[in-house]
Amino acid sequence: MTMRKKIVAGNWKMNTLPAEGVELAKGVAAGRKDVCDCVTLIVCPPFTHLSSVIEALKGSNVEVGAQDCATETKGAYTGEVAAQMIAALGCKYVILGHSERRQYYGETSATLNKKMAEAYANNLTPIYCVGENLDEREAERHFDVVKAQIEEVVFNLTEEQFRNLVIAYEPVWAIGTGKTATAEQAQEIHAYIREVLRSKFGAAAEECPILYGGSCKPSNAGEIFAKADVDGGLIGGAALKAEDFLAIGKAF
Ligand code: PGA
């Protein structure tokens, strides 16, 4: 038996106005007691309400993460938000390489290497996302795609950094589509990801939490989380309702 951390993280994406975000966070905090302490619960609101959500969650045992950070440390980069700014607010985590960032904002492995470095320099734990799109899955290239996304970024980490990493496997065809990967499909690729990690980091790969993401909801989370190499979920749509998010937290 490994002692891998169990994690359920909510990716709110570009949803909720500030007051709604605070309400949602309070709802999660109110139900936290019904979710095992052995599960780390994380909410990732938009930048604009990080501060107020952190305030609302003080003492609640619910962690807060950002959805992205800049490639640079500080300076003339209009519109960007630096990792050190996020960390200064009390955030512990940052999602990096989400497929929406890769797809709509052109993030490449080169971009993500810089963001990862900024995250670690500021003691943020990256939740690094990988996953293939539908064409790649249909062409049975999903293993190669995910392997490349890991080799090009995660393999550049030191072992110490790797020990402070969370990976999220999110097949693009399952994100926001209502079409979930089966528990078997998730397990198959999670086990593969762990094997790739083992080839570089050895036994430390056993400790790395690998989350599943893509239309995860209360009705399917239990089956998916029961798989040996699935250590929790990165939740989009279902994280926007405290009740659903908490139900997923209870699904282990
Ligand atoms: P979804 O999103 O749960 O709405 O499919 C997951 C994600 O993109 O992190």
Side-chain angles (χ1 to χ4, degrees):
M1 275 303 274
T2 56
M3 295 296 291
R4 272 200 299 278
K5 223 171 161 176
K6 296 177 166 72
I7 299 174
V8 174
N11 175 11
W12 295 2
K13 308 193 180 184
M14 198 170 74
N15 293 300
T16 70
L17 293 176
E20 294 164 344
V22 168
E23 275 315 295
L24 176 54
K26 284 182 177 163
V28 173
R32 175 66 176 104
K33 59 182 186 319
D34 301 327
V35 177
C36 178
D37 279 341
C38 60
V39 178
T40 302
L41 282 188
I42 307 168
V43 295
C44 303
F47 289 130
T48 44
H49 5 323
L50 278 177
S51 200
S52 50
V53 164
I54 287 168
E55 187 59 35
L57 290 176
K58 277 219 170 104
S60 69
N61 196 20
V62 179
E63 305 285 351
V64 181
Q67 296 174 20
D68 187 25
C69 73
T71 53
E72 311 301 321
T73 307
K74 64 179 219 171
Y77 302 99
T78 303
E80 290 295 288
V81 178
Q84 62 175 343
M85 298 170 182
I86 295 163
L89 291 178
C91 268
K92 299 263 168 43
Y93 295 86
V94 60
I95 298 171
L96 291 178
H98 190 278
S99 66
E100 287 150 18
R101 304 279 333 156
R102 294 180 190 262
Q103 205 178 330
Y104 308 144
Y105 303 98
E107 290 196 357
T108 61
S109 294
T111 322
L112 292 166
N113 280 317
K114 289 175 145 187
K115 293 187 174 191
M116 292 284 265
E118 284 299 313
Y120 283 113
N122 291 285
N123 297 315
L124 295 169
T125 298
I127 302 174
Y128 178 68
C129 303
V130 300
E132 80 286 354
N133 64 31
L134 186 60
D135 288 350
E136 291 161 344
R137 167 67 66 163
E138 283 175 348
E140 289 181 17
R141 290 185 48 232
H142 44 297
F143 293 109
D144 292 342
V145 168
V146 163
K147 186 177 187 207
Q149 289 168 335
I150 290 173
E151 281 180 345
E152 291 169 14
V153 177
V154 177
F155 278 20
N156 296 326
L157 303 180
T158 64
E159 184 176 329
E160 193 193 340
Q161 289 172 327
F162 174 68
R163 286 182 179 279
N164 191 26
L165 176 73
V166 177
I167 289 183
Y169 166 69
E170 301 199 300
V172 178
W173 47 270
I175 295 177
T177 57
K179 201 180 161 196
T180 324
T182 63
E184 288 69 30
Q185 283 173 323
Q187 169 56 24
E188 180 185 39
I189 198 145
H190 281 229
Y192 175 74
I193 290 169
R194 200 173 305 286
E195 186 185 310
V196 171
L197 296 173
R198 206 178 288 124
S199 73
K200 171 74 179 175
F201 295 104
E206 308 308 324
E207 309 295 322
C208 180
I210 306 177
L211 314 183
Y212 169 78
S215 299
C216 193
K217 43 188 183 265
S219 59
N220 59 29
E223 194 187 346
I224 298 172
F225 295 176
K227 293 293 179 187
D229 288 288
V230 181
D231 306 307
L234 181 55
I235 319 299
L240 295 173
K241 271 199 195 149
E243 195 189 334
D244 288 352
F245 184 63
L246 290 162
I248 295 171
K250 289 179 226 165
F252 283 99

